[in-house]
Amino acid sequence: MIRMLLFFVFTLMPCLCAAQDIRVYFSPNGGCQQAVISEIRKAKQTIDIAMYYLSSRNIAQALVQASDNNVRVRIVLDQGQEIEPASKSGYLIKHGVKVCYHLGFGLMHNKFAIIDEKSLITGSFNWTLTAEERNEENLLIITDKETIEIYNGRFNYLWNTSRSDSRNARGLDAFPAWFCSTYHLFCSN
């Protein structure tokens, strides 16, 4: 009996505790978007995001609300999001959220967020309505501190090697002058 108890305490108990560190969601319509919004609403101090594609109005609104509540929100997006019509990057910038665009010639294909350095949102789930309603995607929410530290280091690297102005990786204006004078939303002064 004591052997069985010791076996449980030293072998199975750590597995049960670790299982509490990860929540799993799938789409379509599996609650991925609501899980992201729920985590954003829990934020008290910081939200750091590296996201390939962000076009969900509901998630963008939750991020603006967090920023309005004095949560520091920083987002690194793929540079294609700077001119993608469905992207919410312009909306976020207009509402005071700090958005940078990844430098380089490859895609910034990450999909993760760190909330208050306490929870990590990651997986294949793009923050889009299509991902929520049509695509087969996955989302994990992880609270393991060591894993979050690794992602935090990667976010800081991405943030420090990205740009916030309207210039592409070659240093050329990303938008012609007529576009900037018409659509001030994307162009820096």
Side-chain angles (χ1 to χ4, degrees), residues 45-137:
Q45 297 175 323
T46 62
I47 301 173
D48 290 334
I49 301 167
M51 186 58 53
Y52 172 64
Y53 202 138
L54 198 166
S55 66
S56 166
R57 176 184 301 174
N58 293 336
I59 292 174
Q61 289 172 340
L63 290 167
V64 168
Q65 185 177 27
S67 179
D68 289 346
N69 290 332
N70 297 316
V71 174
R72 183 194 72 194
V73 180
R74 300 185 300 171
I75 304 172
V76 176
L77 296 172
D78 182 73
Q79 61 186 336
Q81 291 297 289
E82 193 168 19
I83 59 172
E84 169 62 42
S87 174
K88 294 302 178 204
S89 63
Y91 168 82
L92 292 163
I93 292 167
K94 181 179 176 182
H95 287 89
V97 175
K98 294 178 183 175
V99 176
C100 286
Y101 301 97
H102 173 67
L103 292 173
F105 296 100
L107 295 176
M108 198 297 298
H109 210 249
N110 285 288
K111 299 165 186 87
F112 69 86
I114 304 162
I115 311 291
D116 290 335
E117 297 187 16
K118 294 180 179 178
S119 67
L120 167 68
I121 304 167
T122 192
S124 67
F125 185 73
N126 279 303
W127 292 7
T128 67
L129 188 59
T130 302
E132 176 64 16
E133 294 181 351
R134 294 189 191 128
N135 295 352
E136 292 287 342
E137 305 209 26

Side-chain angles (χ1 to χ4, degrees), residues 4 15 18 33 36 39 44 54-56 66 71 86 90-91 102 104 119 130 132 141 157 167-168 174:
M4 243 173 149
C15 295
Q33 180 174 266
V36 170
E39 289 300 307
K44 302 290 185 219
L54 198 166
S55 66
S56 166
V71 174
Y91 168 82
H102 173 67
S119 67
T130 302
E132 176 64 16
I141 299 177
Y157 164 78
R167 299 181 72 76
N168 67 22

